[in-house]
Amino acid sequence: MKVMQSDSLLIAAPTKAGEAFMAQVKLAGMPFIALTNNKPNKRRLEAQGVEHIIQVDTLEPWATNMPDCPIGNVILFEESLPLSCRYLQICRRWTSKPIYVVTQSVNPRLIYKGLGADYVIYSKNGDVRFLLGSPGFH
């Protein structure tokens, strides 16, 4: 992976909505890094043209090393509560910038907040393109 100079947006997009958001970020020309926890997803991201990918071991979240590049905002699209919680545990150590969790369930809001999420966005369709125009989101 090439080292990026400025803070990069980190996106975990295991859902269709997450993939669509990642495509929007790419179209906007924003630097980003994709986050995954397995080789099949990494290969799928590579096939989609994603240049920067971090693969982490979510079974050992505390064994994951800091990335080589500075991480800015983080956006996690919820596929499952346990996976999102592990991603949060890993990513919170990597950045002091906001972490957003996009969920289709209203129940885990306090869990995510307790693990370090700054914003928990409830969305039935996962469309959070509005974030791209938000001040401080990059």
Side-chain angles (χ1 to χ4, degrees), residues 4-10 31-33 69-74 138:
M4 298 176 148
Q5 300 303 317
S6 62
D7 288 359
S8 294
L9 175 62
L10 183 66
F32 74 95
I33 300 168
C69 51
I71 301 299
N73 291 340
V74 176
H138 53 34

Side-chain angles (χ1 to χ4, degrees), residues 6 16 19 21-22 35-36 44 46 49-51 56-58 75 81 83 85 99 113 115 119 129 134-135 137-138:
S6 62
K16 292 289 181 201
E19 288 178 10
F21 181 78
M22 198 177 294
L35 180 67
T36 186
R44 183 179 49 78
E46 289 168 341
V50 176
E51 295 179 31
V56 295
D57 181 354
T58 50
I75 184 160
L81 178 65
L83 179 60
C85 288
I99 295 179
K113 289 280 198 171
L115 289 173
Y119 303 99
R129 286 179 292 180
S134 299
F137 187 87
H138 53 34

